[in-house]
Amino acid sequence: LGFVYGMAASLCHAGDIITSRELKNYDSRAVSLYSNFIQLVFFSAIFLVFFRAYDLALPLEAAPWLILVGILLGVASSLYYTALHYIEASRASVLSLSELGFATLIGFLFFAEKPSGMELLGYLCIAIATVIILLRKSSVAHFTRLILHGRSH
């Protein structure tokens, strides 16, 4: 079930990336603010219809973490929309894959979580693919030359 939710989240994030291209000419802070407000209204309605009030109750100890998550998501959203002013959406979305590495590093430093060898290999593959995509030019011929000969023109 977690896999299904993860794939659904990826699909929704892809929709965000595609629609974000249409908003790149607007102030990124305004886009972030409005999109987060719409999320609040939409999910509040969903939760009120499908969940009981006590399902949403959290202990007071969770408040600092919720505040931190809210701040980090707001900053991430604003920075992502700002990035779209400078680079194309496909490259911004590829750069956002670096969150896996940062999450692993933070998990290791703060929570003593150790990634497995296979996880590290997966992160390396993602990093290599990210570099390849970021270095590519729109011309397929140029991209092929770059990979096969290691030269840039």
Side-chain angles (χ1 to χ4, degrees):
L1 190 59
F3 178 78
V4 172
Y5 282 121
M7 291 303 293
S10 295
L11 178 64
C12 290
H13 186 64
D16 177 47
I17 292 166
I18 299 303
T19 55
S20 296
R21 291 187 307 187
E22 300 302 318
L23 299 171
K24 71 179 184 179
N25 295 327
Y26 299 99
D27 184 88
S28 60
R29 295 165 302 210
V31 171
S32 180
L33 178 70
Y34 289 124
S35 66
N36 287 324
F37 177 73
I38 291 167
Q39 288 174 33
L40 173 68
V41 170
F42 177 77
F43 285 108
S44 294
I46 295 291
F47 287 143
L48 290 173
V49 170
F50 292 105
F51 296 96
R52 295 175 299 270
Y54 61 84
D55 289 338
L56 301 176
L58 291 172
L60 190 56
E61 299 85 39
W65 293 106
L66 290 171
I67 292 168
L68 181 61
V69 165
I71 291 169
L72 291 174
L73 286 175
V75 170
S77 169
S78 182
L79 291 173
Y80 180 76
Y81 292 124
T82 301
L84 292 175
H85 286 283
Y86 301 102
I87 58 177
E88 59 193 47
S90 62
R91 289 187 180 186
S93 67
V94 168
L95 279 174
S96 71
L97 291 175
S98 63
E99 75 185 61
L100 296 171
F102 290 124
T104 301
L105 180 63
I106 290 169
F108 178 75
L109 293 175
F110 294 105
F111 303 109
E113 294 178 358
K114 295 180 182 166
S116 70
M118 290 302 287
E119 288 172 329
L120 291 174
L121 180 62
Y123 299 150
L124 179 63
C125 290
I126 290 170
I128 291 170
T130 299
V131 169
I132 289 171
I133 289 171
L134 293 176
L135 290 178
R136 75 167 166 74
K137 297 283 185 182
S138 58
S139 164
V140 173
H142 176 77
F143 179 66
T144 305
R145 256 193 323 275
L146 176 69
I147 296 300
L148 295 178
H149 303 293
R151 299 181 291 203
S152 61
H153 296 273

